Amino acid sequence: ASSFNPEQARVPSALPLPAPPLTKFNIGLCQLSVTSDKKRNISHAKKAIEEAASKGAKLVLLPEIWNSPYSNDSFPVYAEEIDAGGDASPSTAMLSEVSKRLKITIIGGSIPERVGDRLYNTCCVFGSDGELKAKHRKIHLFDIDIPGKITFMESKTLTAGETPTIVDTDVGRIGIGICYDIRFQELAMIYAARGAHLLCYPGAFNMTTGPLHWELLQRARATDNQLYVATCSPARDSGAGYTAWGHSTLVGPFGEVLATTEHEEAIIIAEIDYSILEQRRTSLPLNRQRRGDLYQLVDVQR
């Protein structure tokens, strides 16, 4: 096996899994209904976060585009200047206040972000001190055309992000993706090679690709990389222009579905146990069996 040069399969070499700040904790997945009333969406998300925390969640994950309808017409109207903060970004101001008050980590789903004349689909991560720890702009834009089923072109209004996002938090090292990002296994592999314990994907799969691929992709990313994967979708609104599949889920490092729900509003509380990661990686030592003599994944940023 040493002749396979497994350390060369990841360039730079994969980092060892760091010791997490805690081994076990509860995650809360808040599957929220979204309306055209932005103030209502913000207060509704706030109440859901508070409920999840009251049930023991130390990490709370929100859906993709939870403060706005999911449409190219809505993105420019609901977009916020996140870096300016305060009144320019009421959604993230709420997340900062709640995370600090409840002493929890929040993966803030995603909201439309305005930077000059550009718009991004952006996820903000707030630590238990209320500080913005990371900001992920959706790297892979959702441009698809399935004849007779669904056509959507995010690139009509949104700009693609340029940077993979991994962040150390009070609940471990977390890699962030948004919805369509989950289809690109290279991104998840980079996060795993950077020592991620958990991947979080706020997402809004639709009624065509949701039944086919939503759970499949989550289980694949978790199994391939031997880590936890958590997703959070908006609740389904059949009257909306874009209908979300729902089914927010937590998947374990063996690809096992640990917790999930249907399409209605729901708050899922589930336990994450990082000690299982080493057990799984010892049982299936993929990192020692990769063929660095045959292939490499290059992390350009590192």
Side-chain angles (χ1 to χ4, degrees), residues 238-296:
S238 300
Y242 181 95
T243 306
W245 171 239
H247 295 263
S248 302
T249 302
L250 176 67
V251 179
F254 246 22
E256 69 276 35
V257 175
L258 298 174
T260 191
T261 188
E262 295 295 323
H263 61 272
E264 303 93 350
E265 275 205 316
I267 295 176
I268 306 165
I269 306 296
E271 184 180 76
I272 287 177
D273 182 355
Y274 287 146
S275 68
I276 294 174
L277 297 180
E278 289 292 357
Q279 294 177 25
R280 299 306 187 216
R281 294 179 183 199
T282 299
S283 299
L284 279 174
L286 301 184
N287 284 335
R288 298 203 306 271
Q289 297 168 331
R290 300 190 193 280
R291 292 294 300 268
D293 56 328
L294 299 180
Y295 50 75
Q296 293 180 329

Side-chain angles (χ1 to χ4, degrees), residues 44-65:
H44 190 60
K46 180 179 180 181
K47 290 176 183 176
I49 295 167
E50 290 170 340
E51 182 178 340
S54 73
K55 294 179 177 178
K58 293 297 183 186
L59 172 66
V60 174
L61 177 60
L62 296 184
E64 181 184 26
I65 307 294

Side-chain angles (χ1 to χ4, degrees), residues 23 37-38 46 53-54 99 103 119 126-127 139 146 165 186 220 226 240 262 281:
T23 302
D37 185 338
K38 185 175 180 179
K46 180 179 180 181
S54 73
S99 61
K103 295 181 173 56
L119 296 176
F126 286 90
I139 294 175
I146 303 176
T165 306
E186 297 90 346
Q226 299 179 308
E262 295 295 323
R281 294 179 183 199

Side-chain angles (χ1 to χ4, degrees), residues 41-190:
N41 293 335
I42 294 172
S43 64
H44 190 60
K46 180 179 180 181
K47 290 176 183 176
I49 295 167
E50 290 170 340
E51 182 178 340
S54 73
K55 294 179 177 178
K58 293 297 183 186
L59 172 66
V60 174
L61 177 60
L62 296 184
E64 181 184 26
I65 307 294
W66 56 266
N67 71 346
S68 159
Y70 188 90
S71 73
N72 279 318
D73 290 339
S74 298
F75 297 151
V77 177
Y78 290 74
E80 300 182 5
E81 297 179 24
I82 294 172
D83 291 342
D87 293 341
S89 186
S91 300
T92 59
M94 180 274 289
L95 297 178
S96 174
E97 185 275 324
V98 174
S99 61
K100 183 177 182 179
R101 173 164 49 87
L102 300 178
K103 295 181 173 56
I104 59 173
T105 300
I106 298 177
I107 310 292
S110 76
I111 64 172
E113 178 192 15
R114 183 182 302 280
V115 181
D117 60 353
R118 293 186 175 186
L119 296 176
Y120 297 92
N121 186 341
T122 300
C123 174
C124 293
V125 180
F126 286 90
S128 56
D129 56 0
E131 295 298 316
L132 179 64
K133 297 183 71 70
K135 188 168 68 171
H136 177 78
R137 292 170 174 162
K138 190 173 187 177
I139 294 175
H140 306 93
L141 295 184
F142 179 60
D143 286 4
I144 69 165
D145 183 13
I146 303 176
K149 296 289 186 178
I150 183 171
T151 299
F152 200 99
M153 298 290 165
E154 274 190 330
S155 62
K156 284 185 176 180
T157 53
L158 299 178
T159 299
E162 299 289 341
T163 309
T165 306
I166 193 161
V167 55
D168 286 310
T169 74
D170 291 346
V171 289
R173 185 169 293 177
I174 303 174
I176 308 293
I178 300 174
C179 200
Y180 204 53
D181 285 340
I182 199 173
R183 289 191 177 273
F184 298 87
Q185 65 267 40
E186 297 90 346
L187 182 62
M189 292 163 67
I190 283 173

